[in-house]
Amino acid sequence: MSRALLVVDVQNDFTEGGALGVTGGDDLARRITAFLGRHADEYDLIVGSRDWHHGDDDNGGHFAGPEGPDYETTWPVHCVAGTPGAEYHPRLDTTVIDVHVLKGQGTPDYSAFQARTEDGVGLPEVLAEHRVVTVDVVGIATDHCVRATALDARAAGFDVAVYDDLVVGVDDDRSARALDEVRAAGGHVDHSDMDEGLANPGGAVL
């Protein structure tokens, strides 16, 4: 039985200064790197997901039109494939990520379970190939892509945990409700050990 870590959308456009910057995103990248410095070798597979949208269409209505975004189902342009905003945050240690998956290529995707490798292999197939049964979820944003990823993982039958100190959300109340949804679906909401000695977390790059 294998265990996987899903690092969801820790990208420049979702952190401070980005097109859809979430408060706390910069520090989250640092905290996840610290966590990886302590725990990467405890996972059989580490997957990083990214929004990777088309720049020449609305990605299935995901990008807002002239009427502007409603910040629920339509959004400003963000994470366009190949642009700096779509890249991982520089504080995130990507050297330990085993598989990179991309989502939202012409479609309004939120869940990493909708993502594929550059070779076109879907995340469910990647997890099946590695015989994963347990999935831990960290990343951005609690009330959107983290929520969707964790719920899809539960729906697919995985034992799921979200680390509540290794996610950040757009809206506090909506993020709390998202974590409640994960619990209601049979998932776990845990707390990492990053509050203990974060200044020197096993040699991690901060």
Side-chain angles (χ1 to χ4, degrees), residues 150 154 159-163 179 182-183 185-190:
R154 279 300 301 142
D159 185 19
V160 177
V162 176
Y163 284 110
L179 295 179
V182 172
R183 294 185 185 97
H188 311 283
V189 177
D190 296 331

Side-chain angles (χ1 to χ4, degrees), residues 12-22 71 76-79 85:
N12 289 324
D13 267 349
F14 294 140
T15 57
E16 284 86 345
L20 279 173
V22 178
Y71 294 97
V77 174
H78 62 277
C79 297

Side-chain angles (χ1 to χ4, degrees), residues 81-147:
T83 66
E87 297 303 325
Y88 290 113
H89 190 282
R91 285 189 172 184
L92 178 68
D93 180 10
T94 61
T95 64
V96 295
I97 294 177
D98 301 301
V99 176
H100 304 270
V101 293
L102 307 171
K103 59 187 173 70
Q105 296 170 289
T107 54
D109 297 340
Y110 293 88
S111 171
F113 277 76
Q114 297 169 290
R116 296 183 173 275
T117 67
E118 288 189 353
D119 295 331
V121 180
L123 178 59
E125 289 74 30
V126 171
L127 298 177
E129 178 183 352
H130 289 83
R131 300 182 179 180
V132 170
V133 297
T134 299
V135 172
D136 293 345
V137 183
V138 301
I140 304 172
T142 314
D143 43 346
H144 294 285
C145 296
V146 168
R147 169 190 175 276

Side-chain angles (χ1 to χ4, degrees), residues 33-54:
T33 288
F35 179 81
L36 291 169
R38 286 186 176 184
H39 299 290
D41 60 357
E42 298 171 15
Y43 290 96
D44 301 285
L45 181 70
I46 299 175
V47 179
S49 75
R50 280 181 289 171
D51 271 10
W52 202 249
H53 296 303
H54 293 164

Side-chain angles (χ1 to χ4, degrees), residues 154-174:
R154 279 300 301 142
F158 293 97
D159 185 19
V160 177
V162 176
Y163 284 110
D164 62 3
D165 60 319
L166 296 178
V167 292
V168 291
V170 177
D171 178 85
D172 289 344
D173 289 341
R174 197 165 53 212

Side-chain angles (χ1 to χ4, degrees), residues 63-88:
F63 287 173
E67 70 280 3
D70 62 17
Y71 294 97
E72 292 184 6
T73 60
T74 61
W75 307 91
V77 174
H78 62 277
C79 297
V80 171
T83 66
E87 297 303 325
Y88 290 113

